């Protein structure tokens, strides 16, 4: 018994030291635990954001009436020509992109009529992964103000900005001689959007700086507007859904297909 007592007295200093370490965490250990917690939270947030983006699998085709949206929609899905007409509702179908992942997205062709386009954009924007804004390159000079007005509404939409949706301006009908180039269309659109921004900024604004519900300031204050100021990436391509001889002509939608493969 005496031996056991001596052994216990010999271990007592170590037991006391262990109790103290358990009661008072070491600063180094605490720092490591906090760092691990920060990493875990970062990974969790990243996973949530990635999951939210992966759940958005639709690409919206928008634009004015007669810009060629529906024929582009048909060409992408079937590769064939079809006579189309102005629609008053949306059309959707699964599109398999040409990439190594074998990804697919749902293409949605939205009506271009002035009284319908914002209504349908509102309906589908939350599930959108990207937007294709189709422009009639032949009628562009005549329609530039209307095109810029609609594009302004898209680019200042809070949901579009929050999700930083990639946007492609598809300069369609390039097979026609009078078609304007993508470079000229970009310059004219940036100029018109800058004018619209100045006009809208003069309107009464709310406390958060927006001019109306669901919209936000376009670009950077004090600078001439250009697409590089936006949180999302805006690109322009030239394309032709019709071809030089309608169904017999060669179409040019390769750049559009490549863009869809990147965003899918």
């Amino acid at each position: 018994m005496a031996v056991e007592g001596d052994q216990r007295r010999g271990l007592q200093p170590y037991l006391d030291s262990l109790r103290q370490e358990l009661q008072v965490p070491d600063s180094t250990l605490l720092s490591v635990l906090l760092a691990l917690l920060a990493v875990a939270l970062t990974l969790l947030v990243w996973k949530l954001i990635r999951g939210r983006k992966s759940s958005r699998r639709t690409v919206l085709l928008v634009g004015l009436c007669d810009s060629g949206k529906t024929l582009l929609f048909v060409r992408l899905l079937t590769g064939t020509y079809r006579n189309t007409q102005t629609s008053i509702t949306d059309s959707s179908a699964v599109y398999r992109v040409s990439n190594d992942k074998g990804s697919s997205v749902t293409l949605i062709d939205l009506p271009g009529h002035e009284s319908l386009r914002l209504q349908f954009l509102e309906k589908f924007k939350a599930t959108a992964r990207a937007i294709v804004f189709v422009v009639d390159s032949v009628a562009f000079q005549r329609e530039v103000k209307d095109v810029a007005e609609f594009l302004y509404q898209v680019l200042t939409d809070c949901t579009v900005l929050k999700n930083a949706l990639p946007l492609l301006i598809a300069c369609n009908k390039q097979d026609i001689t009078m078609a304007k180039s993508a470079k000229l269309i970009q310059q004219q659109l940036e100029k018109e959007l800058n004018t619209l921004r100045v006009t809208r900024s003069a309107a009464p604004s709310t406390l958060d700086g927006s001019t109306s519900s669901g919209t936000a300031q376009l670009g950077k204050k004090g600078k001439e507007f250009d697409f590089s100021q936006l949180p999302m990436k805006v690109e322009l391509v030239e394309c032709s859904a019709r071809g030089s001889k309608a169904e017999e002509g060669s179409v040019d939608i390769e750049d559009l297909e490549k863009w869809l493969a990147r965003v899918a």
Side-chain angles (χ1 to χ4, degrees):
M1 295 292 295
V3 173
E4 290 182 4
D6 291 340
Q7 289 178 339
R8 292 178 64 181
R9 282 193 294 274
L11 291 173
Q12 193 62 42
Y14 299 104
L15 294 174
D16 292 341
S17 176
L18 181 59
R19 290 194 191 97
Q20 290 178 0
E21 289 183 3
L22 290 175
Q23 291 173 359
V24 183
D26 180 78
S27 60
T28 304
L29 179 60
L30 184 60
S31 299
V32 171
L33 290 175
L34 289 175
L36 291 173
L37 180 61
V39 170
L41 289 174
T42 302
L43 289 173
L44 178 61
V45 171
W46 178 81
K47 187 175 181 179
L48 288 173
I49 293 174
R50 185 178 177 85
R52 200 177 308 147
K53 183 178 180 181
S54 64
S55 67
R56 300 196 305 267
R57 301 300 305 170
T58 61
V59 175
L60 309 183
L61 296 179
V62 304
L64 304 189
C65 286
D66 299 321
S67 60
K69 300 187 314 300
T70 303
L71 184 52
L72 273 176
F73 176 77
V74 173
R75 284 289 197 188
L76 286 167
L77 293 170
T78 68
T80 60
Y81 174 86
R82 188 183 76 190
N83 286 319
T84 61
Q85 58 186 12
T86 301
S87 59
I88 59 172
T89 187
D90 61 278
S91 300
S92 63
V94 174
Y95 170 72
R96 296 197 176 278
V97 301
S98 301
N99 63 17
D100 297 334
K101 301 176 183 178
S103 306
S104 64
V105 294
T106 299
L107 294 180
I108 306 182
D109 175 25
L110 304 187
H113 193 278
E114 185 178 2
S115 63
L116 296 172
R117 55 196 182 214
L118 288 180
Q119 172 187 336
F120 278 86
L121 177 64
E122 183 69 25
K123 178 180 178 181
F124 291 107
K125 65 184 182 181
T127 61
R129 187 178 188 83
I131 297 175
V132 177
F133 191 99
V134 184
V135 173
D136 183 338
S137 303
V138 178
F140 176 74
Q141 208 65 50
R142 183 176 70 252
E143 298 178 341
V144 59
K145 292 188 181 297
D146 291 333
V147 173
E149 174 73 26
F150 184 28
L151 184 57
Y152 181 92
Q153 292 169 326
V154 173
L155 293 176
T156 57
D157 184 277
C158 284
T159 300
V160 174
L161 288 171
K162 178 183 176 182
N163 293 336
L165 300 180
L167 187 140
L168 180 74
I169 300 176
C171 305
N172 196 22
K173 304 186 182 182
Q174 289 291 320
D175 55 292
I176 301 176
T177 306
M178 299 300 292
K180 300 298 183 290
S181 67
K183 183 177 181 180
L184 177 63
I185 289 173
Q186 177 175 348
Q187 292 171 347
Q188 290 294 314
L189 282 178
E190 288 177 338
K191 182 179 178 181
E192 287 294 331
L193 288 169
N194 188 67
T195 301
L196 279 171
R197 179 180 64 169
V198 172
T199 304
R200 299 297 173 87
S201 65
S205 59
T206 58
L207 292 177
D208 63 0
S210 61
T211 55
S212 63
S213 177
T215 62
Q217 173 71 31
L218 183 70
K220 297 179 180 179
K221 291 183 179 181
K223 291 187 176 182
E224 293 290 312
F225 173 77
D226 63 69
F227 289 122
S228 66
Q229 298 170 7
L230 298 172
M232 75 283 284
K233 187 173 184 178
V234 177
E235 300 176 67
L236 288 89
V237 298
E238 296 180 353
C239 61
S240 173
R242 184 177 174 84
S244 57
K245 296 180 181 179
E247 65 271 20
E248 297 178 3
S250 59
V251 298
D252 181 13
I253 58 173
E254 184 179 353
D255 289 339
L256 172 57
E257 291 174 322
K258 288 179 179 178
W259 182 85
L260 287 170
R262 290 201 305 271
V263 301

